[in-house]
Amino acid sequence: MGIMKTYVLWLTLCLSLVISTLGNPAIAPPAQPCLAPVQWEGRTVVYDHSTGRNTRASMSYDGQNQQIRVLEQKRGHVPCKKYFEYIYLFQSGVMFQIEQVTKQCSKLALTQAWDPFDIPSNSTFEDQNFIGGPGDMIEVQEWSDRKPARQNEAWLGVYTVKDCYPVQETYTRNSSVTTSTRFFDLELGIGDPSVFIPPPTCQSAHPERMTSDC
């Protein structure tokens, strides 16, 4: 009887080890990154690591036509602070900055190339995990532009596994300029395509960028 109990205990331990192993498998890198949606609307928070400033905004993103509209959100009453709307038209190479109250407008040339919110096909898979605690079940993947010959990445993107929505992107353009963008409440499609059309005041736009201080 003692031998039988020992055998049963040994078998139970083996089964527990197998179940534990199957329940926590190593995550194999995906063959290709998921495809992010090309048109969506939602909210963003951009954190500038050099200034310590967070900028909250509503965003309309149209990757199909390479245009973005950003509407800064007012957070309480801040005396002598201006809030702007930005319309980025990459195919035309221009950006409009519109003061939300007066509608005063500036028109500036875009110096950076179109950079969509997606995961480039040559990205490096970093990790896959769940956001939050038990029961949240929001699974995400982390990708970067890290290459074997370079120690640190200049871009890190976090995207949901289910629908490939952006969760966070971090850019390091040099040792002193790093920005992180977080994304919230995304919905597919563009509710009002006219948000990409500058207001009439932009017909007499100024060529200088406006500052947020009075």
PDB file of all heavy atoms in Angstrom, residues 103-137:
ATOM      1  N   LYS A 103      -9.631  82.050 -33.007  1.00  0.00           N
ATOM      2  CA  LYS A 103      -9.478  81.430 -34.325  1.00  0.00           C
ATOM      3  C   LYS A 103      -8.325  82.018 -35.121  1.00  0.00           C
ATOM      4  O   LYS A 103      -8.232  81.826 -36.340  1.00  0.00           O
ATOM      5  CB  LYS A 103     -10.785  81.520 -35.139  1.00  0.00           C
ATOM      6  CG  LYS A 103     -11.967  80.849 -34.488  1.00  0.00           C
ATOM      7  CD  LYS A 103     -11.700  79.372 -34.215  1.00  0.00           C
ATOM      8  CE  LYS A 103     -12.888  78.708 -33.539  1.00  0.00           C
ATOM      9  NZ  LYS A 103     -12.626  77.266 -33.234  1.00  0.00           N
ATOM     10  N   GLN A 104      -7.444  82.763 -34.447  1.00  0.00           N
ATOM     11  CA  GLN A 104      -6.235  83.241 -35.114  1.00  0.00           C
ATOM     12  C   GLN A 104      -5.441  82.040 -35.602  1.00  0.00           C
ATOM     13  O   GLN A 104      -5.340  81.019 -34.921  1.00  0.00           O
ATOM     14  CB  GLN A 104      -5.407  84.079 -34.143  1.00  0.00           C
ATOM     15  CG  GLN A 104      -4.170  84.706 -34.777  1.00  0.00           C
ATOM     16  CD  GLN A 104      -3.390  85.557 -33.791  1.00  0.00           C
ATOM     17  OE1 GLN A 104      -3.820  85.726 -32.650  1.00  0.00           O
ATOM     18  NE2 GLN A 104      -2.259  86.101 -34.224  1.00  0.00           N
ATOM     19  N   CYS A 105      -4.860  82.168 -36.796  1.00  0.00           N
ATOM     20  CA  CYS A 105      -4.290  80.997 -37.457  1.00  0.00           C
ATOM     21  C   CYS A 105      -2.852  81.248 -37.903  1.00  0.00           C
ATOM     22  O   CYS A 105      -2.507  82.347 -38.360  1.00  0.00           O
ATOM     23  CB  CYS A 105      -5.145  80.632 -38.671  1.00  0.00           C
ATOM     24  SG  CYS A 105      -4.584  79.171 -39.570  1.00  0.00           S
ATOM     25  N   SER A 106      -2.036  80.227 -37.754  1.00  0.00           N
ATOM     26  CA  SER A 106      -0.679  80.225 -38.299  1.00  0.00           C
ATOM     27  C   SER A 106      -0.545  79.041 -39.239  1.00  0.00           C
ATOM     28  O   SER A 106      -1.101  77.968 -38.994  1.00  0.00           O
ATOM     29  CB  SER A 106       0.363  80.118 -37.184  1.00  0.00           C
ATOM     30  OG  SER A 106       0.381  81.276 -36.386  1.00  0.00           O
ATOM     31  N   LYS A 107       0.205  79.237 -40.312  1.00  0.00           N
ATOM     32  CA  LYS A 107       0.451  78.184 -41.300  1.00  0.00           C
ATOM     33  C   LYS A 107       1.949  77.944 -41.381  1.00  0.00           C
ATOM     34  O   LYS A 107       2.711  78.854 -41.701  1.00  0.00           O
ATOM     35  CB  LYS A 107      -0.105  78.585 -42.655  1.00  0.00           C
ATOM     36  CG  LYS A 107       0.078  77.539 -43.745  1.00  0.00           C
ATOM     37  CD  LYS A 107      -0.505  78.020 -45.072  1.00  0.00           C
ATOM     38  CE  LYS A 107      -0.319  76.987 -46.173  1.00  0.00           C
ATOM     39  NZ  LYS A 107      -0.874  77.460 -47.473  1.00  0.00           N
ATOM     40  N   LEU A 108       2.350  76.718 -41.101  1.00  0.00           N
ATOM     41  CA  LEU A 108       3.765  76.388 -41.048  1.00  0.00           C
ATOM     42  C   LEU A 108       4.073  75.195 -41.937  1.00  0.00           C
ATOM     43  O   LEU A 108       3.218  74.316 -42.131  1.00  0.00           O
ATOM     44  CB  LEU A 108       4.178  76.072 -39.609  1.00  0.00           C
ATOM     45  CG  LEU A 108       3.836  77.134 -38.554  1.00  0.00           C
ATOM     46  CD1 LEU A 108       4.074  76.586 -37.163  1.00  0.00           C
ATOM     47  CD2 LEU A 108       4.656  78.398 -38.789  1.00  0.00           C
ATOM     48  N   ALA A 109       5.282  75.158 -42.460  1.00  0.00           N
ATOM     49  CA  ALA A 109       5.705  74.022 -43.271  1.00  0.00           C
ATOM     50  C   ALA A 109       6.059  72.854 -42.362  1.00  0.00           C
ATOM     51  O   ALA A 109       6.686  73.030 -41.305  1.00  0.00           O
ATOM     52  CB  ALA A 109       6.899  74.408 -44.132  1.00  0.00           C
ATOM     53  N   LEU A 110       5.657  71.661 -42.754  1.00  0.00           N
ATOM     54  CA  LEU A 110       6.001  70.454 -42.008  1.00  0.00           C
ATOM     55  C   LEU A 110       7.401  70.011 -42.403  1.00  0.00           C
ATOM     56  O   LEU A 110       7.688  69.782 -43.578  1.00  0.00           O
ATOM     57  CB  LEU A 110       4.988  69.338 -42.302  1.00  0.00           C
ATOM     58  CG  LEU A 110       3.642  69.432 -41.586  1.00  0.00           C
ATOM     59  CD1 LEU A 110       2.698  68.344 -42.088  1.00  0.00           C
ATOM     60  CD2 LEU A 110       3.801  69.322 -40.089  1.00  0.00           C
ATOM     61  N   THR A 111       8.257  69.887 -41.424  1.00  0.00           N
ATOM     62  CA  THR A 111       9.630  69.481 -41.704  1.00  0.00           C
ATOM     63  C   THR A 111       9.839  67.981 -41.533  1.00  0.00           C
ATOM     64  O   THR A 111      10.769  67.419 -42.099  1.00  0.00           O
ATOM     65  CB  THR A 111      10.597  70.235 -40.778  1.00  0.00           C
ATOM     66  OG1 THR A 111      10.234  69.988 -39.411  1.00  0.00           O
ATOM     67  CG2 THR A 111      10.527  71.738 -41.038  1.00  0.00           C
ATOM     68  N   GLN A 112       8.963  67.326 -40.745  1.00  0.00           N
ATOM     69  CA  GLN A 112       9.117  65.887 -40.539  1.00  0.00           C
ATOM     70  C   GLN A 112       8.272  65.112 -41.549  1.00  0.00           C
ATOM     71  O   GLN A 112       7.233  65.596 -42.014  1.00  0.00           O
ATOM     72  CB  GLN A 112       8.732  65.482 -39.107  1.00  0.00           C
ATOM     73  CG  GLN A 112       7.250  65.606 -38.775  1.00  0.00           C
ATOM     74  CD  GLN A 112       6.870  66.960 -38.229  1.00  0.00           C
ATOM     75  OE1 GLN A 112       7.464  67.971 -38.592  1.00  0.00           O
ATOM     76  NE2 GLN A 112       5.877  66.975 -37.354  1.00  0.00           N
ATOM     77  N   ALA A 113       8.721  63.905 -41.873  1.00  0.00           N
ATOM     78  CA  ALA A 113       7.985  63.052 -42.805  1.00  0.00           C
ATOM     79  C   ALA A 113       6.810  62.386 -42.099  1.00  0.00           C
ATOM     80  O   ALA A 113       6.752  62.326 -40.862  1.00  0.00           O
ATOM     81  CB  ALA A 113       8.919  61.995 -43.391  1.00  0.00           C
ATOM     82  N   TRP A 114       5.872  61.892 -42.870  1.00  0.00           N
ATOM     83  CA  TRP A 114       4.718  61.178 -42.327  1.00  0.00           C
ATOM     84  C   TRP A 114       5.177  59.944 -41.573  1.00  0.00           C
ATOM     85  O   TRP A 114       5.945  59.133 -42.077  1.00  0.00           O
ATOM     86  CB  TRP A 114       3.766  60.791 -43.452  1.00  0.00           C
ATOM     87  CG  TRP A 114       2.706  59.806 -43.042  1.00  0.00           C
ATOM     88  CD1 TRP A 114       2.616  58.487 -43.408  1.00  0.00           C
ATOM     89  CD2 TRP A 114       1.580  60.059 -42.200  1.00  0.00           C
ATOM     90  NE1 TRP A 114       1.510  57.910 -42.835  1.00  0.00           N
ATOM     91  CE2 TRP A 114       0.852  58.846 -42.085  1.00  0.00           C
ATOM     92  CE3 TRP A 114       1.111  61.182 -41.522  1.00  0.00           C
ATOM     93  CZ2 TRP A 114      -0.314  58.742 -41.333  1.00  0.00           C
ATOM     94  CZ3 TRP A 114      -0.052  61.079 -40.762  1.00  0.00           C
ATOM     95  CH2 TRP A 114      -0.753  59.879 -40.680  1.00  0.00           C
ATOM     96  N   ASP A 115       4.731  59.805 -40.341  1.00  0.00           N
ATOM     97  CA  ASP A 115       5.094  58.678 -39.494  1.00  0.00           C
ATOM     98  C   ASP A 115       3.812  58.125 -38.874  1.00  0.00           C
ATOM     99  O   ASP A 115       3.331  58.656 -37.873  1.00  0.00           O
ATOM    100  CB  ASP A 115       6.080  59.117 -38.412  1.00  0.00           C
ATOM    101  CG  ASP A 115       6.603  57.941 -37.596  1.00  0.00           C
ATOM    102  OD1 ASP A 115       6.323  56.786 -37.975  1.00  0.00           O
ATOM    103  OD2 ASP A 115       7.269  58.183 -36.578  1.00  0.00           O
ATOM    104  N   PRO A 116       3.234  57.093 -39.448  1.00  0.00           N
ATOM    105  CA  PRO A 116       1.929  56.605 -38.987  1.00  0.00           C
ATOM    106  C   PRO A 116       2.001  55.957 -37.610  1.00  0.00           C
ATOM    107  O   PRO A 116       3.067  55.512 -37.167  1.00  0.00           O
ATOM    108  CB  PRO A 116       1.548  55.574 -40.055  1.00  0.00           C
ATOM    109  CG  PRO A 116       2.852  55.105 -40.605  1.00  0.00           C
ATOM    110  CD  PRO A 116       3.771  56.297 -40.569  1.00  0.00           C
ATOM    111  N   PHE A 117       0.861  55.910 -36.941  1.00  0.00           N
ATOM    112  CA  PHE A 117       0.740  55.172 -35.692  1.00  0.00           C
ATOM    113  C   PHE A 117       0.490  53.706 -36.039  1.00  0.00           C
ATOM    114  O   PHE A 117      -0.647  53.236 -36.132  1.00  0.00           O
ATOM    115  CB  PHE A 117      -0.406  55.730 -34.840  1.00  0.00           C
ATOM    116  CG  PHE A 117      -0.112  57.088 -34.268  1.00  0.00           C
ATOM    117  CD1 PHE A 117      -0.907  58.175 -34.594  1.00  0.00           C
ATOM    118  CD2 PHE A 117       0.957  57.275 -33.403  1.00  0.00           C
ATOM    119  CE1 PHE A 117      -0.650  59.432 -34.062  1.00  0.00           C
ATOM    120  CE2 PHE A 117       1.230  58.536 -32.874  1.00  0.00           C
ATOM    121  CZ  PHE A 117       0.428  59.617 -33.203  1.00  0.00           C
ATOM    122  N   ASP A 118       1.565  52.992 -36.251  1.00  0.00           N
ATOM    123  CA  ASP A 118       1.472  51.568 -36.541  1.00  0.00           C
ATOM    124  C   ASP A 118       2.788  50.912 -36.153  1.00  0.00           C
ATOM    125  O   ASP A 118       3.697  51.565 -35.611  1.00  0.00           O
ATOM    126  CB  ASP A 118       1.119  51.311 -38.011  1.00  0.00           C
ATOM    127  CG  ASP A 118       2.198  51.766 -38.978  1.00  0.00           C
ATOM    128  OD1 ASP A 118       3.267  52.256 -38.505  1.00  0.00           O
ATOM    129  OD2 ASP A 118       2.023  51.640 -40.193  1.00  0.00           O
ATOM    130  N   ILE A 119       2.905  49.621 -36.431  1.00  0.00           N
ATOM    131  CA  ILE A 119       4.115  48.877 -36.115  1.00  0.00           C
ATOM    132  C   ILE A 119       4.819  48.561 -37.425  1.00  0.00           C
ATOM    133  O   ILE A 119       4.309  47.777 -38.229  1.00  0.00           O
ATOM    134  CB  ILE A 119       3.791  47.568 -35.375  1.00  0.00           C
ATOM    135  CG1 ILE A 119       2.861  47.845 -34.182  1.00  0.00           C
ATOM    136  CG2 ILE A 119       5.064  46.887 -34.906  1.00  0.00           C
ATOM    137  CD1 ILE A 119       2.336  46.584 -33.525  1.00  0.00           C
ATOM    138  N   PRO A 120       5.969  49.149 -37.689  1.00  0.00           N
ATOM    139  CA  PRO A 120       6.688  48.839 -38.930  1.00  0.00           C
ATOM    140  C   PRO A 120       6.968  47.349 -39.047  1.00  0.00           C
ATOM    141  O   PRO A 120       7.211  46.661 -38.054  1.00  0.00           O
ATOM    142  CB  PRO A 120       7.972  49.655 -38.800  1.00  0.00           C
ATOM    143  CG  PRO A 120       7.624  50.780 -37.880  1.00  0.00           C
ATOM    144  CD  PRO A 120       6.652  50.196 -36.907  1.00  0.00           C
ATOM    145  N   SER A 121       6.950  46.861 -40.281  1.00  0.00           N
ATOM    146  CA  SER A 121       7.105  45.421 -40.510  1.00  0.00           C
ATOM    147  C   SER A 121       8.468  44.897 -40.081  1.00  0.00           C
ATOM    148  O   SER A 121       8.619  43.714 -39.786  1.00  0.00           O
ATOM    149  CB  SER A 121       6.878  45.106 -41.997  1.00  0.00           C
ATOM    150  OG  SER A 121       7.804  45.834 -42.805  1.00  0.00           O
ATOM    151  N   ASN A 122       9.480  45.764 -40.016  1.00  0.00           N
ATOM    152  CA  ASN A 122      10.822  45.331 -39.622  1.00  0.00           C
ATOM    153  C   ASN A 122      11.103  45.562 -38.141  1.00  0.00           C
ATOM    154  O   ASN A 122      12.260  45.578 -37.715  1.00  0.00           O
ATOM    155  CB  ASN A 122      11.874  46.043 -40.466  1.00  0.00           C
ATOM    156  CG  ASN A 122      11.847  47.553 -40.266  1.00  0.00           C
ATOM    157  OD1 ASN A 122      10.893  48.108 -39.716  1.00  0.00           O
ATOM    158  ND2 ASN A 122      12.897  48.225 -40.726  1.00  0.00           N
ATOM    159  N   SER A 123      10.051  45.739 -37.339  1.00  0.00           N
ATOM    160  CA  SER A 123      10.218  45.988 -35.910  1.00  0.00           C
ATOM    161  C   SER A 123      10.671  44.725 -35.180  1.00  0.00           C
ATOM    162  O   SER A 123      10.506  43.606 -35.667  1.00  0.00           O
ATOM    163  CB  SER A 123       8.903  46.498 -35.299  1.00  0.00           C
ATOM    164  OG  SER A 123       8.507  47.716 -35.890  1.00  0.00           O
ATOM    165  N   THR A 124      11.217  44.936 -33.993  1.00  0.00           N
ATOM    166  CA  THR A 124      11.684  43.846 -33.147  1.00  0.00           C
ATOM    167  C   THR A 124      10.666  43.575 -32.044  1.00  0.00           C
ATOM    168  O   THR A 124      10.286  44.503 -31.320  1.00  0.00           O
ATOM    169  CB  THR A 124      13.044  44.186 -32.516  1.00  0.00           C
ATOM    170  OG1 THR A 124      14.006  44.385 -33.551  1.00  0.00           O
ATOM    171  CG2 THR A 124      13.517  43.070 -31.592  1.00  0.00           C
ATOM    172  N   PHE A 125      10.223  42.329 -31.928  1.00  0.00           N
ATOM    173  CA  PHE A 125       9.283  41.946 -30.871  1.00  0.00           C
ATOM    174  C   PHE A 125      10.000  41.961 -29.530  1.00  0.00           C
ATOM    175  O   PHE A 125      11.065  41.360 -29.374  1.00  0.00           O
ATOM    176  CB  PHE A 125       8.720  40.559 -31.156  1.00  0.00           C
ATOM    177  CG  PHE A 125       7.803  40.040 -30.076  1.00  0.00           C
ATOM    178  CD1 PHE A 125       6.509  40.517 -29.953  1.00  0.00           C
ATOM    179  CD2 PHE A 125       8.249  39.080 -29.169  1.00  0.00           C
ATOM    180  CE1 PHE A 125       5.667  40.045 -28.962  1.00  0.00           C
ATOM    181  CE2 PHE A 125       7.416  38.601 -28.177  1.00  0.00           C
ATOM    182  CZ  PHE A 125       6.116  39.084 -28.071  1.00  0.00           C
ATOM    183  N   GLU A 126       9.398  42.672 -28.540  1.00  0.00           N
ATOM    184  CA  GLU A 126      10.017  42.791 -27.224  1.00  0.00           C
ATOM    185  C   GLU A 126       9.317  41.956 -26.158  1.00  0.00           C
ATOM    186  O   GLU A 126       9.960  41.257 -25.382  1.00  0.00           O
ATOM    187  CB  GLU A 126      10.039  44.267 -26.786  1.00  0.00           C
ATOM    188  CG  GLU A 126      10.853  45.175 -27.682  1.00  0.00           C
ATOM    189  CD  GLU A 126      12.352  44.946 -27.575  1.00  0.00           C
ATOM    190  OE1 GLU A 126      12.782  44.161 -26.713  1.00  0.00           O
ATOM    191  OE2 GLU A 126      13.113  45.554 -28.358  1.00  0.00           O
ATOM    192  N   ASP A 127       7.972  42.016 -26.112  1.00  0.00           N
ATOM    193  CA  ASP A 127       7.275  41.342 -25.018  1.00  0.00           C
ATOM    194  C   ASP A 127       5.779  41.287 -25.318  1.00  0.00           C
ATOM    195  O   ASP A 127       5.276  42.019 -26.174  1.00  0.00           O
ATOM    196  CB  ASP A 127       7.524  42.081 -23.704  1.00  0.00           C
ATOM    197  CG  ASP A 127       7.150  41.268 -22.477  1.00  0.00           C
ATOM    198  OD1 ASP A 127       6.869  40.055 -22.632  1.00  0.00           O
ATOM    199  OD2 ASP A 127       7.144  41.823 -21.360  1.00  0.00           O
ATOM    200  N   GLN A 128       5.099  40.401 -24.593  1.00  0.00           N
ATOM    201  CA  GLN A 128       3.640  40.314 -24.651  1.00  0.00           C
ATOM    202  C   GLN A 128       3.144  40.120 -23.226  1.00  0.00           C
ATOM    203  O   GLN A 128       3.638  39.255 -22.504  1.00  0.00           O
ATOM    204  CB  GLN A 128       3.179  39.154 -25.543  1.00  0.00           C
ATOM    205  CG  GLN A 128       1.659  39.058 -25.702  1.00  0.00           C
ATOM    206  CD  GLN A 128       1.249  38.135 -26.840  1.00  0.00           C
ATOM    207  OE1 GLN A 128       1.892  38.126 -27.883  1.00  0.00           O
ATOM    208  NE2 GLN A 128       0.187  37.381 -26.646  1.00  0.00           N
ATOM    209  N   ASN A 129       2.161  40.936 -22.812  1.00  0.00           N
ATOM    210  CA  ASN A 129       1.700  40.872 -21.430  1.00  0.00           C
ATOM    211  C   ASN A 129       0.289  41.417 -21.306  1.00  0.00           C
ATOM    212  O   ASN A 129      -0.317  41.828 -22.307  1.00  0.00           O
ATOM    213  CB  ASN A 129       2.664  41.649 -20.517  1.00  0.00           C
ATOM    214  CG  ASN A 129       2.985  43.028 -21.055  1.00  0.00           C
ATOM    215  OD1 ASN A 129       2.100  43.861 -21.223  1.00  0.00           O
ATOM    216  ND2 ASN A 129       4.261  43.274 -21.362  1.00  0.00           N
ATOM    217  N   PHE A 130      -0.223  41.414 -20.083  1.00  0.00           N
ATOM    218  CA  PHE A 130      -1.566  41.906 -19.792  1.00  0.00           C
ATOM    219  C   PHE A 130      -1.455  43.220 -19.020  1.00  0.00           C
ATOM    220  O   PHE A 130      -0.641  43.343 -18.100  1.00  0.00           O
ATOM    221  CB  PHE A 130      -2.366  40.888 -18.974  1.00  0.00           C
ATOM    222  CG  PHE A 130      -2.757  39.670 -19.753  1.00  0.00           C
ATOM    223  CD1 PHE A 130      -1.954  38.547 -19.741  1.00  0.00           C
ATOM    224  CD2 PHE A 130      -3.915  39.638 -20.511  1.00  0.00           C
ATOM    225  CE1 PHE A 130      -2.294  37.414 -20.456  1.00  0.00           C
ATOM    226  CE2 PHE A 130      -4.273  38.518 -21.236  1.00  0.00           C
ATOM    227  CZ  PHE A 130      -3.462  37.401 -21.208  1.00  0.00           C
ATOM    228  N   ILE A 131      -2.303  44.195 -19.386  1.00  0.00           N
ATOM    229  CA  ILE A 131      -2.358  45.470 -18.689  1.00  0.00           C
ATOM    230  C   ILE A 131      -3.278  45.320 -17.483  1.00  0.00           C
ATOM    231  O   ILE A 131      -4.358  44.750 -17.579  1.00  0.00           O
ATOM    232  CB  ILE A 131      -2.866  46.589 -19.617  1.00  0.00           C
ATOM    233  CG1 ILE A 131      -1.876  46.826 -20.760  1.00  0.00           C
ATOM    234  CG2 ILE A 131      -3.091  47.877 -18.845  1.00  0.00           C
ATOM    235  CD1 ILE A 131      -2.330  47.874 -21.740  1.00  0.00           C
ATOM    236  N   GLY A 132      -2.848  45.862 -16.366  1.00  0.00           N
ATOM    237  CA  GLY A 132      -3.691  45.839 -15.177  1.00  0.00           C
ATOM    238  C   GLY A 132      -3.523  44.586 -14.353  1.00  0.00           C
ATOM    239  O   GLY A 132      -2.537  43.856 -14.470  1.00  0.00           O
ATOM    240  N   GLY A 133      -4.533  44.314 -13.515  1.00  0.00           N
ATOM    241  CA  GLY A 133      -4.483  43.190 -12.603  1.00  0.00           C
ATOM    242  C   GLY A 133      -5.367  42.042 -13.042  1.00  0.00           C
ATOM    243  O   GLY A 133      -5.850  42.001 -14.185  1.00  0.00           O
ATOM    244  N   PRO A 134      -5.620  41.084 -12.136  1.00  0.00           N
ATOM    245  CA  PRO A 134      -6.418  39.899 -12.469  1.00  0.00           C
ATOM    246  C   PRO A 134      -7.810  40.274 -12.980  1.00  0.00           C
ATOM    247  O   PRO A 134      -8.488  41.125 -12.411  1.00  0.00           O
ATOM    248  CB  PRO A 134      -6.497  39.160 -11.127  1.00  0.00           C
ATOM    249  CG  PRO A 134      -5.317  39.625 -10.362  1.00  0.00           C
ATOM    250  CD  PRO A 134      -5.108  41.052 -10.762  1.00  0.00           C
ATOM    251  N   GLY A 135      -8.200  39.639 -14.080  1.00  0.00           N
ATOM    252  CA  GLY A 135      -9.522  39.878 -14.645  1.00  0.00           C
ATOM    253  C   GLY A 135      -9.583  40.972 -15.689  1.00  0.00           C
ATOM    254  O   GLY A 135     -10.581  41.104 -16.396  1.00  0.00           O
ATOM    255  N   ASP A 136      -8.536  41.804 -15.790  1.00  0.00           N
ATOM    256  CA  ASP A 136      -8.577  42.874 -16.792  1.00  0.00           C
ATOM    257  C   ASP A 136      -8.448  42.307 -18.206  1.00  0.00           C
ATOM    258  O   ASP A 136      -9.155  42.730 -19.116  1.00  0.00           O
ATOM    259  CB  ASP A 136      -7.452  43.881 -16.536  1.00  0.00           C
ATOM    260  CG  ASP A 136      -7.692  44.699 -15.278  1.00  0.00           C
ATOM    261  OD1 ASP A 136      -8.854  44.808 -14.865  1.00  0.00           O
ATOM    262  OD2 ASP A 136      -6.716  45.216 -14.709  1.00  0.00           O
ATOM    263  N   MET A 137      -7.516  41.385 -18.405  1.00  0.00           N
ATOM    264  CA  MET A 137      -7.402  40.629 -19.650  1.00  0.00           C
ATOM    265  C   MET A 137      -7.235  41.503 -20.882  1.00  0.00           C
ATOM    266  O   MET A 137      -7.767  41.216 -21.941  1.00  0.00           O
ATOM    267  CB  MET A 137      -8.618  39.703 -19.821  1.00  0.00           C
ATOM    268  CG  MET A 137      -8.827  38.714 -18.679  1.00  0.00           C
ATOM    269  SD  MET A 137      -7.385  37.651 -18.404  1.00  0.00           S
ATOM    270  CE  MET A 137      -7.467  36.630 -19.872  1.00  0.00           C
TER     271      MET A 137
END
